[in-house]
Amino acid sequence: FIPGQKSDPFAWKSMAGWAEGYYLASMKRSGQALETRLAMEDCFERDEKALICVAGDFNAGPEEMPVRIVLGREEDTGNAALAGRSLISTELSLPEDRRFTVIHSGKRQMLDHILASRGLAARLIDFEAHNNSLDDEWTDAMNDVLSLSSHHAPIVAEFDLPL
């Protein structure tokens, strides 16, 4: 939110306002991801095989910085010795054409994620994205359509955990 810079939820009044808002939102998402990664590192310090799940609305796609920070993939760290601390995207178990939780201006996007440590990901039984009846958030906003449901599809992961 940049004071005085939006005329409605999807319309900016100026390019400068849009750029500042986009920058600040990106920095905040990356900062939250860093806090999450540091909390996970504390867990891994106590137990290298910790069963960790990070789930929620990242408002970022799989290749955007916030998700990459939480995932900690080997190709990003360049260090195979850290691979045990990386997380796995459970949505990868879905066919590519089903991997979306939001439709924005006709574009399907995976903005909500369930990320699991390697030990937990190995126990994944099922992953679902309930996106069959998802409306386009941008089209609804442009047409003043008030939706009673979220424009983000629910996602569900099921794990086989010991009792």
Side-chain angles (χ1 to χ4, degrees):
F1 178 75
I2 306 299
Q5 287 297 313
K6 288 187 105 173
S7 55
D8 67 52
F10 287 96
W12 291 90
K13 291 181 178 178
S14 71
M15 189 61 77
W18 166 81
E20 184 179 356
Y22 194 80
Y23 167 78
L24 289 175
S26 175
M27 293 301 293
K28 287 179 180 181
R29 285 193 309 268
S30 292
Q32 290 168 339
L34 174 60
E35 288 180 25
T36 301
R37 171 46 67 182
L38 295 177
M40 290 173 11
E41 288 304 305
D42 286 344
C43 292
F44 283 127
E45 285 297 319
R46 290 190 301 276
D47 179 2
E48 288 183 11
K49 297 181 191 272
L51 301 180
I52 296 174
C53 181
V54 178
D57 178 0
F58 283 66
N59 266 325
E63 293 302 320
E64 292 183 68
M65 193 59 60
V67 178
R68 290 174 68 176
I69 289 170
V70 175
L71 285 173
R73 297 179 302 202
E74 185 178 340
E75 58 266 30
D76 286 331
T77 66
N79 186 344
L82 298 175
R85 293 178 177 227
S86 64
L87 300 188
I88 308 294
S89 296
T90 60
E91 70 245 22
L92 295 177
S93 65
L94 284 180
E96 195 169 335
D97 67 331
R98 298 286 302 143
R99 287 184 213 153
F100 66 96
T101 57
V102 171
I103 302 172
H104 182 85
S105 192
K107 183 179 177 188
R108 294 175 171 188
Q109 302 175 53
M110 191 74 189
L111 301 183
D112 306 272
H113 305 276
I114 299 175
L115 312 176
S117 61
R118 289 176 179 237
L120 185 59
R123 298 169 178 266
L124 181 68
I125 294 172
D126 190 31
F127 178 86
E128 298 174 356
H130 298 263
N131 52 18
N132 290 332
S133 60
L134 203 55
D135 294 323
D136 188 312
E137 66 176 359
W138 190 80
T139 302
D140 281 0
M142 294 301 102
N143 294 317
D144 290 324
V145 173
L146 179 61
S147 178
L148 298 177
S149 61
S150 173
H151 283 99
H152 288 248
I155 53 177
V156 180
E158 182 180 353
F159 299 94
D160 179 24
L161 297 176
L163 297 177

